[in-house]
Amino acid sequence: MSVDTSNVILEVEDLHTYFFNRNNVVKAVDGVSFFLREGETLGIVGESGCGKTMTALSLLRLVPQPAGKIIAGSIRLNGDDILQKSEDEMRQIRGRQISMILQDPQTSLNPVFTIGNQLMEALGMARRESHKNMISRAVDALRNVNVAAPERRLEDFPHQMSGGMKQRVVGAIALSCEPGVIIADEPTTALDVTIQLQYLRLLKDIQAETGLAIIFITHDFGVVARMCDRVAVMYAGRIVENGPVREIFNEPSHPYTRALIDSVPKLEERTERLYSIEGQPPLLSNLPEGCRFAERCEFSRDKCIGEYPPSYTVSEAHTADCWRMDESW
């Protein structure tokens, strides 16, 4: 698949992140490749445990130590391979160039410090300023994510805020140093439906104003349809399909992608039983040689079980790892 590198801000190539323990090796991320352009939103979808969050933590070099290790691949951010950077250099990159909105604001915020303390700590890592200027910038950061009465909220502790408000604060911290790339790891999971919609609209508005590039990790195809320009479908540590959202929804090429879409209830259709994907994903510590979805796939053949498929080009910007794309199928 040809990539227009003129405005690509992030390019990941053949990334492998493994966890080593006494008995086996867990291949959490096993050969992931994708790119992200300026001002674009890439959705990463898949079942729980497929490697979405671990991919995100790898991009920030925050893989849990000592068991976890990035063993191969490259992560080019603004043209520089951050896997070659020292830990001191990474501290300058995190927040300033790439940042992350974590999944659960309740565990992301420290309960014994005020919102102002935590926000100013993030701002202070980018540049040293007077305390008065820091407070002013913290107020502006909260105002930018539509927090009401931001001056008063600086004195609040996390437990004094609702779930939606805490998620906005986490977003303000991630955006405070004006990074070019934001990773949003299922940021709407803990929010009710109306607050979800407000939060998604807020992210889109911020992106339109700043040209921010977003990686949106989710298992909700409704969020993908609303938020994303392209989508990468992950299964058992690998991206099995990648392409524009409209193409993926209209003509999914990988059976797993089709199964995920079919699993979404359709309000306009009456059905006696909702569709579900039979079976379980393989253990990441005992992956099969062939296609990792083969045991759950209705189209599976002997070739699928014995050999992993190459990445086939469906269209100019659409690829799928499936033997059904082969002319000899």
Side-chain angles (χ1 to χ4, degrees):
M1 180 172 56
S2 60
V3 179
D4 177 13
T5 57
S6 59
N7 62 345
V8 169
I9 189 170
L10 177 69
E11 189 170 4
V12 179
E13 186 174 353
D14 199 27
L15 180 65
H16 293 72
T17 301
Y18 292 176
F19 285 80
F20 299 85
N21 59 39
R22 189 174 300 174
N23 300 317
N24 50 38
V25 178
V26 177
K27 299 179 179 180
V29 181
D30 193 31
V32 164
S33 299
F34 62 87
F35 65 92
L36 181 68
R37 297 187 180 95
E38 295 176 6
E40 182 180 50
T41 302
L42 171 69
I44 300 181
V45 300
E47 292 171 281
S48 297
C50 70
K52 304 185 300 295
T53 297
M54 201 50 58
T55 298
L57 293 176
S58 299
L59 299 182
L60 289 162
R61 295 259 307 270
L62 291 176
V63 177
Q65 299 291 334
K69 186 177 181 181
I70 301 173
I71 66 165
S74 65
I75 303 171
R76 297 195 173 275
L77 180 63
N78 295 314
D80 294 330
D81 188 353
I82 63 174
L83 295 184
Q84 307 303 319
K85 302 291 185 181
S86 67
E87 184 55 37
D88 286 341
E89 290 173 319
M90 281 305 303
R91 290 192 185 97
Q92 300 301 313
I93 291 172
R94 296 188 197 106
R96 294 181 177 183
Q97 297 185 41
I98 183 169
S99 191
M100 186 170 179
I101 301 173
L102 296 173
Q103 182 172 350
D104 184 3
Q106 189 66 45
T107 56
S108 304
L109 296 170
N110 192 321
V112 301
F113 289 101
T114 66
I115 297 303
N117 290 147
Q118 297 180 65
L119 192 48
M120 286 189 285
E121 180 184 16
L123 290 166
M125 294 180 68
R127 58 187 179 190
R128 298 295 178 186
E129 294 183 271
S130 67
H131 185 69
K132 183 177 180 179
N133 286 344
M134 293 279 280
I135 291 176
S136 177
R137 290 185 62 203
V139 169
D140 289 341
L142 291 180
R143 186 177 289 117
N144 289 340
V145 294
N146 295 342
V147 172
E151 296 87 352
R152 182 169 58 84
R153 287 297 189 180
L154 288 181
E155 302 300 321
D156 286 352
F157 288 89
H159 72 272
Q160 296 175 281
M161 291 184 158
S162 67
M165 198 63 69
K166 280 185 282 195
Q167 191 62 273
R168 289 171 188 263
V169 171
V170 171
I173 292 173
L175 293 164
S176 60
C177 298
E178 302 178 354
V181 178
I182 281 285
I183 303 168
D185 185 7
E186 300 192 29
T188 60
T189 299
L191 307 180
D192 61 60
V193 176
T194 55
I195 301 300
Q196 280 186 23
L197 185 61
Q198 294 175 14
Y199 194 78
L200 294 177
R201 188 180 296 121
L202 173 65
L203 287 178
K204 292 294 285 184
D205 290 344
I206 292 172
Q207 185 180 43
E209 292 174 7
T210 64
L212 184 69
I214 301 175
I215 296 175
F216 207 100
I217 297 173
T218 183
H219 57 265
D220 188 338
F221 266 95
V223 171
V224 170
R226 177 178 294 274
M227 287 292 295
C228 301
D229 303 299
R230 292 185 299 110
V231 59
V233 181
M234 282 196 75
Y235 186 77
R238 300 198 67 159
I239 291 177
V240 297
E241 187 165 7
N242 190 351
V245 167
R246 188 177 296 274
E247 282 192 38
I248 297 289
F249 271 82
N250 293 338
E251 298 182 17
S253 296
H254 198 284
Y256 178 60
T257 307
R258 184 178 298 276
L260 284 178
I261 294 173
D262 289 343
S263 299
V264 179
K266 299 174 179 60
L267 297 180
E268 69 276 8
E269 296 181 5
R270 294 176 63 90
T271 181
E272 294 183 0
R273 186 179 180 86
L274 296 176
Y275 177 83
S276 63
I277 307 173
E278 298 295 331
Q280 296 291 330
L283 293 175
L284 295 178
S285 58
N286 187 26
L287 292 168
E289 293 184 7
C291 174
R292 295 169 185 183
F293 189 62
E295 290 191 2
R296 307 172 74 188
C297 180
E298 60 181 311
F299 305 104
S300 178
R301 296 182 181 178
D302 290 343
K303 189 173 186 178
C304 303
I305 296 172
E307 185 180 354
Y308 191 86
S311 186
Y312 288 95
T313 299
V314 181
S315 66
E316 183 180 355
H318 184 181
T319 63
D321 295 4
C322 182
W323 283 117
R324 296 177 67 218
M325 301 293 103
D326 195 274
E327 295 178 357
S328 63
W329 179 261

